[in-house]
Amino acid sequence: MDYTLAALKLLCIQLKAARPTHDSSQSSISYGPILFQRAWLQGVIISLPSTADGRFLVDDGTGVVELVASRDFINRDWKLGAYVMVVGGCVIRDDDLPLIKVHKIVDLSAFPHREAMWYLEVLEAYKLFYKPLIEDP
């Protein structure tokens, strides 16, 4: 994992539009010309973590992403409908949901304004950082 590449603030629909690259020794993902390996998303838990493989689903209103978490994360008291922030390594799979290998997950349910603020944060990041790179040939 190349930690010099930033974790992009993305919506699920944007992550779904990203494409894998294999140009370097560590595979990266491109969103337009932007290379990344980790994503930062927020959404609602729509399936509880499997004790067998740590997989569960999060929906951010634009799409669904599959998470895979270690025992440290799945042993927490997760609830359906909990609003969470997730940062982790990304895997783009053809004809399947994007996958995030969880590095950090935080339950933000106690802060109901976080969901509305998240959309503004992603919009701001897109307008300030991503859009100029995508539109500048």
Side-chain angles (χ1 to χ4, degrees):
M1 182 73 49
D2 182 354
Y3 289 101
T4 63
L5 297 174
L8 297 188
K9 289 183 176 181
L10 296 171
L11 300 173
C12 288
I13 196 167
Q14 293 170 306
L15 186 56
K16 186 83 171 162
R19 295 289 165 247
T21 64
H22 302 289
D23 297 336
S24 64
S25 61
Q26 293 185 348
S27 59
S28 300
I29 299 168
S30 67
Y31 181 60
I34 304 166
L35 293 179
F36 68 103
Q37 292 177 326
R38 297 173 300 133
W40 176 348
L41 285 93
Q42 291 183 189
V44 175
I45 294 176
I46 60 171
S47 75
L48 293 175
S50 162
T51 55
D53 60 9
R55 293 176 185 266
F56 57 116
L57 302 175
V58 168
D59 184 337
D60 76 348
T62 69
V64 176
V65 64
E66 184 176 11
L67 307 179
V68 61
S70 68
R71 291 227 180 273
D72 294 339
F73 294 119
I74 63 172
N75 288 334
R76 295 184 189 168
D77 187 27
W78 298 111
K79 295 185 178 14
L80 288 177
Y83 186 73
V84 296
M85 178 274 295
V86 178
V87 177
C90 301
V91 178
I92 303 299
R93 305 177 293 180
D94 292 335
D95 301 322
D96 205 351
L97 298 174
L99 176 75
I100 295 182
K101 297 175 183 175
V102 177
H103 297 166
K104 179 177 185 176
I105 184 168
V106 177
D107 187 348
L108 299 175
S109 300
F111 309 99
H113 64 284
R114 295 305 306 155
E115 186 170 4
M117 292 300 294
W118 175 246
Y119 291 108
L120 295 174
E121 286 181 45
V122 174
L123 178 62
E124 179 182 51
Y126 182 83
K127 287 176 80 174
L128 290 175
F129 304 113
Y130 313 156
K131 184 178 177 184
L133 294 172
I134 292 169
E135 291 183 351
D136 189 27

